[in-house]
Amino acid sequence: MALRWHDKGHRGPCDGVEIDRQASGLLAQSLEHCPEAAAHIRPVWEDLRTFSPPGRGSYDLVACNPPYFTGGFQSADPRRAAARHENSCTIGDVAGCAARLLRDGGKFFLCHRPEHLSRVLCALSAAGLEPKRLRFVKKSPESAPWLFLCEAQKGRKPGLVLLPDLLPGEYPSY
């Protein structure tokens, strides 16, 4: 995600927090080949539940692609299972970390599965992150959404805007 932001023009400081050592190593390895990105992206191999950098409470933006599943089939590969299931990182953990990191008014972006919409919005509100914009992602105009994108802001009043569905080939404007 950090490299994608860099490719889209972001040049401010960016911490790429990842609990998986190999995934964090891949970011570090990619940065060795892109000195311009390495000047502002910092790979951080750490658990977001305990991540507490010196800039705590001063981040303008936090984004996360959290584990989506709470049950069902799990991969025999522990890394894949941890990335996909809330075994060791819940949506409450994710929202709590974002709330710790963000300044007042800071923005939190995440994607999740529609079947967990209620649970996600409740976790955000409980952490002091007010859902502000919501957009469903569909494979076609006729299909049911398979994902949603949400923007929340720390310490703001209620007021959720539902944006038009996002279809293949489109890129979100936020």
Side-chain angles (χ1 to χ4, degrees):
M1 196 178 295
L3 289 172
R4 176 75 173 167
W5 283 344
H6 173 80
D7 290 346
K8 290 289 183 182
H10 175 73
R11 295 299 183 265
C14 178
D15 290 335
V17 180
E18 175 60 59
I19 193 170
D20 183 282
R21 183 179 187 172
Q22 287 180 295
S24 184
L26 287 173
L27 175 58
Q29 188 177 20
S30 295
L31 292 172
E32 289 174 8
H33 302 288
C34 188
E36 185 182 340
H40 63 92
I41 297 173
R42 180 176 72 117
V44 179
W45 173 41
E46 194 167 334
D47 187 332
L48 64 79
R49 293 173 297 176
T50 57
F51 181 57
S52 186
R56 179 182 172 146
S58 65
Y59 285 59
D60 294 321
L61 187 145
V62 172
C64 187
N65 180 9
Y68 295 154
F69 303 108
T70 56
F73 170 80
Q74 290 193 33
S75 173
D77 176 356
R79 291 179 58 231
R80 188 170 175 89
R84 297 178 53 100
H85 285 80
E86 288 190 9
N87 297 335
S88 61
C89 176
T90 68
I91 190 62
D93 295 331
V94 169
C97 178
R100 279 193 321 273
L101 296 177
L102 288 169
R103 64 169 172 76
D104 187 50
K107 295 180 179 183
F108 177 49
F109 295 90
L110 82 151
C111 57
H112 216 293
R113 301 295 296 252
E115 58 267 28
H116 298 288
L117 178 60
S118 174
R119 196 168 62 84
V120 169
L121 296 181
C122 287
L124 292 173
S125 292
L129 301 169
E130 188 58 42
K132 288 302 196 181
R133 295 196 293 171
L134 181 67
R135 191 169 195 184
F136 291 100
V137 180
K138 293 180 164 186
K139 294 180 182 178
S140 71
E142 311 80 36
S143 65
W146 67 277
L147 189 75
F148 70 84
L149 307 173
C150 183
E151 173 190 335
Q153 279 190 284
K154 183 175 179 177
R156 293 299 183 247
K157 294 179 182 177
L160 179 64
V161 174
L162 188 60
L163 299 173
D165 295 337
L166 187 65
L167 299 170
E170 297 176 351
Y171 191 76
S173 60
Y174 64 90

